[in-house]
Amino acid sequence: MASNRLQRTNEDIRLALSSLIRSVKDPRVQQGMISITGVQTTGDLKFCKVYVSVLGLTSEKEFKKGIKSASGWLRRELGRSLSLRAVPELIFELDKSIEHGAKINKILSDLDIPEDTENDD
């Protein structure tokens, strides 16, 4: 369980990266609607795993290359916006939970379930 300070740091990093990632000019990164769904930072603030969800992703491989290429710039800008002793190394992971949830929601809405017409007296 992360401490309160680490949770606050994770939330600060998530909010800062959410605004910064929109400023990345690399077309490989700007493929769709990008959301930072979560951030997990190690206790020593050396590494930070960033979970990114992209709605409308055309090429996962190209997105990963683009975000890895932009990670140095994002890390530098993150250091400028937050007052951390050490800015963690950013490790990006694709989070497909939103797409998975939308797929399940579509499947459920497409089901043809007859309504129960029995009267319980």
Side-chain angles (χ1 to χ4, degrees), residues 16-34:
L17 282 177
S18 293
S19 63
L20 286 173
I21 205 159
R22 289 173 180 73
S23 304
V24 174
K25 299 215 183 342
D26 193 339
R28 297 176 294 184
V29 175
Q30 301 300 332
Q31 290 187 24
M33 191 174 87
I34 302 171

